[in-house]
Amino acid sequence: MHGMTKREFKITDEAEIRQILDKAKVLRLGLAVDNVPHIIPLNYGYTLESGKLKFFLHSAVKGNKLDLIRSNPNVCFELDC
């Protein structure tokens, strides 16, 4: 039996990436502080130019979310379609 690798699931076509980003409505940002996970659902905007993806997330200038990111900038995210 042939197993699939993560590489086989990788999406590289910009049109397909845009389709996913346009369909999804919420980005879930994963943060961790002192080994305690925090997941924050956010609406988002994005740009995708020349293969470079940038997300724009709603945030105040001050707050817990930014404090968590400053304390540990290693974050992850997921989108549902």
Side-chain angles (χ1 to χ4, degrees):
M1 178 176 199
H2 172 70
M4 296 184 85
T5 64
K6 291 180 184 178
R7 205 172 297 121
E8 293 175 76
F9 289 109
K10 187 174 182 178
I11 300 169
T12 57
D13 178 64
E14 271 195 29
E16 191 173 354
I17 292 169
R18 282 183 192 280
Q19 185 179 18
I20 293 167
L21 293 168
D22 290 340
K23 187 176 180 183
K25 300 296 181 213
V26 176
L27 176 147
R28 287 177 186 80
L29 184 64
L31 309 168
V33 174
D34 299 325
N35 286 330
V36 177
H38 297 268
I39 298 173
I40 303 169
L42 299 163
N43 293 108
Y44 66 92
Y46 75 92
T47 60
L48 178 58
E49 298 171 5
S50 303
K52 199 172 249 189
L53 176 61
K54 289 183 184 180
F55 284 103
F56 298 91
L57 306 173
H58 177 72
S59 181
V61 179
K62 294 181 182 179
N64 190 47
K65 175 177 47 194
L66 293 178
D67 292 342
L68 293 175
I69 293 169
R70 284 186 193 101
S71 71
N72 183 354
N74 296 306
V75 303
C76 62
F77 72 92
E78 70 92 25
L79 304 168
D80 289 332
C81 295

